[in-house]
Amino acid sequence: MIAISLAPNFETKDALLALKQLFLPWRWRKGTANQRLVAKLQAILGRKEIYTVNSARWGLYLLLQNLRLEKDTEVLLQAFTCVSVPGPVLWNNLKPVYVDILERELTMDPLDLERKITAKSRVIIVQHTFGIPARMDEIMTIAKKHNLIVIEDCAHTLGGKHRDKLLGTIGDASIFSFGRDKAISSVFGGAIMVNNQKVFTSIKSAVAELPLSKNGWVLQQLMHPILFELIIKPLYFTAQIGKIKLVFAQKVGLLSKAIASHEKSGGKPAFECAKLSNALAELACFQLSRLEAFNARRREIVEIYNKELHQSGFDGQSLLRYPIFVDEPRKLLLAARKEKILLGDWYEVIAPKDTDLKAVQYVAGSCPVAESVAKREINLPTYYTLKNSDLKKIVEFTLRTVPKVNGYFRDSP
């Protein structure tokens, strides 16, 4: 099947590894996998101060907590994002200030950023949307001018570059996600990387003091690749059997949801902030060993989309998802489902669609470009296991259903 959001990175061998871990419960929480994962990340990113946690949103929470900022200190972040970004800001009793995006790049607009800086501003969270590099040169210049701390949100990229610099190594710190549909996946998980130790002075001790993930939660995540690969995905479009099994498994707690309902109104996840479990670190290590192949395949797919859809601006980029603008995105998404193709709808102004914007302090009209883009943009899959025959099917379907894909040309950074 073609599915952008149903654990696209996972293959049968990932399911088998999860199955193996299932029968080693004494190794679910403790072991050597985290050390090996960190060592691999250090080799890729060229930084020593890297720490793993059980989710990127909790990693962002720890970074902000480490700064010990006064209540209602302003944290600037882009609209057109997931609630998992403003969430950690709110949990620290800080104030999110939403910055508009560049329409052709889907990343933070440096001009709007500077307009929204006040005396209470202290932190900028820069999102590299889908792996598209934000305009880091301009943003870092603004940050230096106003004495602001920069945290790079690399949830959509691992190994991506801005000019000749690896994303995540430019700001004062960064977060990476190993979520179920990210650059690599361990269902839940993430990493913190610190570049400026003078700013983030006690992250190491804060992570060391974290509890271990609970066994029940680890079991729930291990079931994810097993059920998805062996049951849910093969049957997803067969009288909706797979979809029904997915909903049932989540309802009874056998599988987790990526975002809990109360997070959509600014609440914390149901699971506590904890160390990344050994079992999930094993899954992440296995995926990380294939990162080069993952990114190479993503670049190939991007080039095919560029050519077939007559777009430009993403040359050489290993995008997590490929964005296009269409006049009626909902119509296209529904039509795709009828042909057994699941396309993506990242993002709303603040995703998911039913996020309580008032609760996360977003003011309607404050980011008009993001609001406009959210009504016109959808994502095409770029995942490693996508076959060329399926890629051809996606392109043909898109051009047939939307005869004129609105040109998507990236501005020169």
Side-chain angles (χ1 to χ4, degrees), residues 52-55 58 210-214 271-276:
T52 55
V53 288
N54 63 340
S55 79
W58 277 124
L210 291 177
L212 295 169
S213 295
K214 294 178 180 178
F271 58 93
E272 65 182 340
C273 182
K275 294 181 173 72
L276 181 63

Side-chain angles (χ1 to χ4, degrees), residues 13 25 63 83 111 129 135 141 180 191 212 217 230 251-252 265 297 362 397 406:
K13 53 189 175 184
L63 286 173
V83 72
L111 292 179
T129 311
R135 294 194 174 190
T141 297
R180 60 200 69 189
L212 295 169
W217 186 82
L230 304 181
K251 190 168 185 179
V252 300
S265 55
R297 179 57 176 160
Y362 180 79
F397 163 79
N406 294 328

